[in-house]
Amino acid sequence: TAHMSPPRSASRKKHESMLANILRPMKKPDWDNVAKAVCDALNGIAYHDDAQIVFGSVVKVWGDRPRLEIKIAEVSHD
């Protein structure tokens, strides 16, 4: 989940709607660029190579504190 800061130019009402996730961030970075950056950054740390990733999703939301929340789970390979 990519938590993005609302623009400072947003009105108070719009800012509140953004933080309540009534309005979603449809601005850069694109979700695929967020995914690529995370995959590349975790190469050699969370996995040997990002080719090992078999499932992923990205959600962009407005937040009062910009950050990335990343969840990693091992998938059985029976």
Side-chain angles (χ1 to χ4, degrees):
T1 305
H3 297 261
M4 306 170 77
S5 293
R8 293 176 194 231
S9 60
S11 68
R12 171 177 277 174
K13 185 174 181 175
K14 189 171 183 178
H15 188 269
E16 289 171 359
S17 294
M18 290 172 159
L19 293 181
N21 282 314
I22 295 167
L23 297 175
R24 299 303 279 271
M26 291 185 273
K27 64 171 196 155
K28 293 190 181 276
D30 299 340
W31 75 266
D32 58 326
N33 292 333
V34 173
K36 181 69 174 154
V38 169
C39 291
D40 290 347
L42 294 177
N43 246 345
I45 297 170
Y47 35 76
H48 295 292
D49 187 273
D50 58 0
Q52 294 175 278
I53 299 171
V54 297
F55 174 79
S57 64
V58 174
V59 178
K60 291 178 7 180
V61 297
W62 296 112
D64 55 356
R65 188 173 51 99
R67 65 190 182 281
L68 291 173
E69 293 179 356
I70 302 164
K71 296 179 184 177
I72 300 173
E74 187 173 354
V75 178
S76 65
H77 51 291
D78 298 336

